Amino acid sequence: MDILEKIGELKRSKNAVILAHNYQIPEVQDAADFVGDSLELSRKAAGLDAATIVFCGVHFMAETAAVLAPGKTVLLPEVEAGCPMADMINARELRAWKAGYPGLKVVCYVNTSAEVKAESDICCTSSNAVAVVNSLGVDRVLFVPDKNLAAYVARETGKTVIAWDGYCYVHHRFTPKDIEEARALHPGAEVWVHPECPLDVSELADKVLSTGKMILEARKTSCREVVIGTEKGIIYRLSKVNPAVKFYPARETALCAHMKMTTLAKVLRALETDTYRVEVPRDIADRARGAIEAMLKIS
Ligand code: 13P
Ligand code: SF4
């Protein structure tokens, strides 16, 4: 029996489902039942009629799935697969920071731990951050942890977005020069970038899109060439969704080491040994769910 057959057999016997983020390696994407962005996958986890979810992504995504799907077993195949940006703030730091801004609402990016979500008023994703901030009906908000997404939201909403000093090490490395060079190399191409890129990069793009919105755009685009400013793994999925389009990475080295830790062998191990189980204490999960549900109401 090969590895895919073993995974398939264990999935059936355990009533398990495999979810994979858009940045996962091709073999893992191909073995998954669903591929998507962080929130799509967590929502999927909540709605599935499965006992076990194998979450091929990073820790905060599996935690969000555990919060939205209490009672299901959520497994992360690689225990070290965290998100360095999510780890840039913890609940204690957020409590101390927000105490300096009494009365201001806290918006947390979905790339945060459940304990940080539990300290926030509302969650957001890169797809809906602008709509979430607009929905609050206030002029000033606190935003954690991504300062680049915060700067983009401030530009789009005209509001004062006071940001934590966090960033994604993959997207923060994109520079205006990357976009200028890509345009010179592919003069007919559109440029799509993720809002975790610095604002001076987003300002040079034709479209600023979350990974989920890049997939939607790829399905309907009439362009024949597109330069992509996000983690390179998404190009495999984009090319599958629309093989008529040539997708080029704006940076060859834009790779998230944490997203690449998950392999098929680790997916098999997860199913064989029920590891690594991601659980969120009930009181934290209930408060984190409040912030996530406040977001789901408006998007
Ligand atoms: P998405 O929510 O757009 O999938 O992004 C998650 C992420 O980690 C981006 O770096
Ligand atoms: Fe975190 Fe960036 Fe990796 Fe996404 S790409 S998981 S934000 S480090």
Side-chain angles (χ1 to χ4, degrees):
M1 227 195 277
D2 72 13
I3 190 159
L4 284 174
E5 287 167 342
K6 284 187 196 158
I7 288 173
E9 195 169 284
L10 277 164
K11 259 179 30 181
R12 278 186 295 279
S13 67
K14 297 191 127 164
N15 186 18
V17 166
I18 301 176
L19 306 181
H21 187 264
N22 292 320
Y23 296 160
Q24 291 288 297
I25 61 172
E27 303 85 272
V28 170
Q29 290 195 28
D30 288 345
D33 297 289
F34 300 98
V35 184
D37 71 17
S38 44
L39 190 74
E40 279 164 5
L41 293 177
S42 300
R43 291 176 87 164
K44 192 94 210 168
L48 283 171
D49 180 23
T52 298
I53 313 286
V54 181
F55 207 120
C56 303
V58 290
H59 189 264
F60 80 81
M61 297 177 182
E63 252 195 355
T64 310
V67 166
L68 291 178
K72 290 188 180 143
T73 300
V74 179
L75 303 175
L76 188 67
E78 167 52 65
V79 74
E80 297 290 330
C83 165
M85 170 158 72
D87 293 340
M88 286 178 184
I89 186 163
N90 61 32
R92 185 182 41 78
E93 290 167 323
L94 176 52
R95 272 194 298 273
W97 190 56
K98 71 181 183 180
Y101 298 93
L104 289 202
K105 298 238 192 259
V106 178
V107 181
C108 69
Y109 190 23
V110 70
N111 294 43
T112 45
S113 62
E115 61 164 32
V116 165
K117 289 185 179 77
E119 291 291 333
S120 302
D121 293 289
I122 189 163
C123 185
C124 75
T125 72
S126 46
S127 295
N128 61 22
V130 169
V132 164
V133 169
N134 274 331
S135 79
L136 297 175
V138 292
D139 292 331
R140 296 168 81 217
V141 294
L142 299 178
F143 192 99
V144 296
D146 188 4
K147 62 181 172 185
N148 291 324
L149 180 59
Y152 173 72
V153 170
R155 194 194 70 172
E156 293 296 301
T157 61
K159 306 207 185 268
T160 302
V161 181
I162 304 165
W164 188 255
D165 188 19
Y167 58 89
C168 161
Y169 74 100
V170 180
H171 291 87
H172 197 60
R173 287 190 190 137
F174 281 90
T175 64
K177 194 159 166 268
D178 290 323
I179 306 303
E180 282 152 14
E181 285 178 1
R183 283 204 191 274
L185 216 54
H186 310 290
E190 268 198 359
V191 175
W192 305 350
V193 308
H194 196 279
E196 287 177 17
C197 292
L199 191 58
D200 55 0
V201 171
S202 294
E203 277 169 346
L204 294 178
D206 297 303
K207 296 193 166 98
V208 181
L209 302 167
S210 64
T211 68
K213 285 195 174 161
M214 282 187 193
I215 302 298
L216 293 177
E217 196 63 32
R219 288 191 205 283
K220 61 176 200 219
T221 187
S222 54
C223 300
R224 283 297 151 257
E225 291 185 303
V226 181
V227 169
I228 296 295
T230 188
E231 213 271 356
K232 217 176 124 187
I234 200 171
I235 291 197
Y236 177 71
R237 174 104 201 274
L238 291 168
S239 306
K240 255 178 118 168
V241 162
N242 193 342
V245 182
K246 199 92 187 89
F247 294 98
Y248 307 106
R251 274 176 71 84
E252 282 294 339
T253 52
L255 290 166
C256 175
H258 300 77
M259 281 284 183
K260 303 302 188 227
M261 284 177 174
T262 306
T263 59
L264 276 188
K266 290 178 188 175
V267 172
L268 177 61
R269 181 184 66 187
L271 283 162
E272 282 171 342
T273 59
D274 275 337
T275 52
Y276 295 91
R277 207 174 164 153
V278 175
E279 289 170 302
V280 181
R282 176 95 169 262
D283 58 323
I284 293 177
D286 288 346
R287 286 187 294 133
R289 197 178 305 113
I292 299 168
E293 281 172 355
M295 165 185 74
L296 295 179
K297 270 192 205 131
I298 69 121
S299 64

